[in-house]
Amino acid sequence: MRIVSGIQPTGNLHLGNYLGAIRNWVRMQDEVAEKGGQSLYFLADLHAISMPFVPSELAANTREMVAALVACGIDPQRSILFNQAQVPAHAELEWLLTGTARMGWLNRMTQFKDKSGKNREGASIALFTYPVLQAADVLLYQATHVPVGEDQKQHLELARDIAQKFNNDFGNGAEIFTLPEPIIPPEAARIMSLRDGSAKMSKSDPSDMSRINLTDDVDTIMQKVRRARTDPAPLPSDPAELAERPEAANLVGIYGAVTGWTPAEVLAQFGGEGFGVFKPALGELLASHLAPINARFVELRRDRGALDAILRDGAEKARALAAPTLEAAYAALGLLRG
Ligand code: TYM
């Protein structure tokens, strides 16, 4: 078993990242360590340059994200934690894979359509080829499982398509790349915005009220939950009745994801109650769950030297693991390496 996953160091870690992905990273890190496998988690700083960004903020955000991941329970002794920019094999393999990825496959990617919007011609080439770098991220390490939120599923299907075509076209009967499986938590696959039940919770939403950041203090969390958009009806007792109420469904889903309860179990406790009762209960639950993470984060982020050392050590291990697959890919393509 080899687990690989990444996160963009653009802004704060939010509840969607945490419940949709990072909590699973921590679980799988522990599981895989017991089985003698390996987990690699990285900051996707090379992906972050696909959209407008400020270089000095990127460096600071990369360090902050390392502190946040360690605060959430990623243990640099047990997982390999690094940033892409210190492992050039990611960018190298990406180029090799661009010979295999097809224009038609990338044209179907919804992220490019969403992020480029009406400005397709002005979008960066990196935004278009982004999923090929993502494929390189996981194929480079022969990842077997990739813990992600639902929004990354299409990118992982593309990684499988690229791996399969590369193996077929250039493998000469050998499996150069392992086909990775996405691991998506059913209870938190898609945490939605607090302001709009039809949009996912996201770092790029201009309104900070739309998300709970892992760095928010208790008062901020309580205020954001209190002001979350909802409809006026009380909570139903039957989960089926949440189907037409996306904002209510999201808050019930968040409560369930944190406690480990199904929506039916949440409604068994809160069905018939108004949001005047449910929201403070949810706010307190989140605040108490996030408080220890927040405290560790504040402590860790102070020590820039320690954060840089984590990334340096992680990158060294990652480079060693990446080397054989990168060489195999060069060789399969007939590229001479001396
Ligand atoms: P990113 O940085 O947008 O998000 C990191 C992880 O958080 C998950 N996530 C969510 N899950 C549930 N509800 C939400 N509202 C929510 N928002 C974010 C994402 O699914 C993701 O798992 N392209 C990736 C980074 C990446 C990557 C990779 C991931 C680069 N290379 C290789 C896996 C494997 C991204 O931008 O995630």
Side-chain angles (χ1 to χ4, degrees), residues 1 11 20 34 53 70 85 96 174 180 198 231 241 254 277 286 292 305:
M1 227 181 162
E34 275 168 28
F53 71 104
V70 175
L96 302 186
S198 65
D231 55 46
E241 287 175 39
I254 291 174
V277 170
L286 287 172

Side-chain angles (χ1 to χ4, degrees), residues 114-136:
D114 292 348
K115 289 198 177 170
S116 60
K118 292 199 177 75
N119 189 20
R120 240 183 99 93
E121 296 297 308
S124 72
I125 303 285
L127 189 63
F128 187 69
T129 56
Y130 181 117
V132 186
L133 177 59
Q134 185 158 343

Side-chain angles (χ1 to χ4, degrees), residues 79-243:
S79 292
I80 299 177
L81 182 55
F82 64 101
N83 60 314
Q84 284 167 324
Q86 296 199 54
V87 186
H90 288 248
E92 284 183 70
L93 184 60
E94 186 213 350
W95 180 253
L96 302 186
L97 297 180
T98 52
T100 293
R102 305 287 96 183
M103 287 294 287
W105 299 355
L106 289 182
N107 273 330
R108 283 198 289 277
M109 296 291 116
T110 57
Q111 176 183 273
F112 179 75
K113 290 178 202 162
D114 292 348
K115 289 198 177 170
S116 60
K118 292 199 177 75
N119 189 20
R120 240 183 99 93
E121 296 297 308
S124 72
I125 303 285
L127 189 63
F128 187 69
T129 56
Y130 181 117
V132 186
L133 177 59
Q134 185 158 343
D137 295 337
V138 295
L139 300 181
L140 192 54
Y141 301 103
Q142 309 289 345
T144 55
H145 299 86
V146 184
V148 284
E150 174 81 30
D151 61 340
Q152 298 301 317
K153 197 170 165 200
Q154 194 186 36
H155 287 163
L156 286 174
E157 280 161 5
L158 182 88
R160 290 171 63 92
D161 289 344
I162 292 175
Q164 200 150 31
K165 184 166 166 56
F166 192 101
N167 287 344
N168 282 341
D169 292 357
F170 306 111
N172 251 327
E175 281 243 316
I176 310 276
F177 299 121
T178 305
L179 268 53
E181 290 286 341
I183 304 282
I184 300 172
E187 74 287 358
R190 221 173 140 75
I191 303 291
M192 308 309 278
S193 156
L194 299 181
R195 308 301 296 164
D196 174 359
S198 65
K200 72 172 180 184
M201 185 177 284
S202 156
K203 300 176 245 215
S204 51
D205 192 315
S207 166
D208 197 55
M209 293 303 284
S210 70
R211 62 186 161 259
I212 306 276
N213 302 308
L214 264 67
T215 47
D216 287 343
D217 60 23
V218 175
D219 289 347
T220 310
I221 294 175
M222 295 301 287
Q223 191 198 21
K224 284 180 175 175
V225 175
R226 203 168 47 242
R227 290 183 47 194
R229 191 171 138 192
T230 40
D231 55 46
L235 283 173
S237 297
D238 177 0
E241 287 175 39
L242 289 173

Side-chain angles (χ1 to χ4, degrees), residues 15 18-19 23 27 185-189 191 235 242 248-270 278 281-283 285-286 289:
L15 194 64
Y18 177 67
L19 295 175
R23 219 169 42 151
R27 280 190 200 136
E187 74 287 358
I191 303 291
L235 283 173
L242 289 173
N250 188 37
L251 296 188
V252 168
I254 291 174
Y255 196 101
V258 174
T259 50
W261 296 358
T262 62
E265 286 167 334
V266 179
L267 294 178
Q269 173 138 349
F270 291 102
F278 183 61
L282 176 60
L285 175 77
L286 287 172
H289 192 81

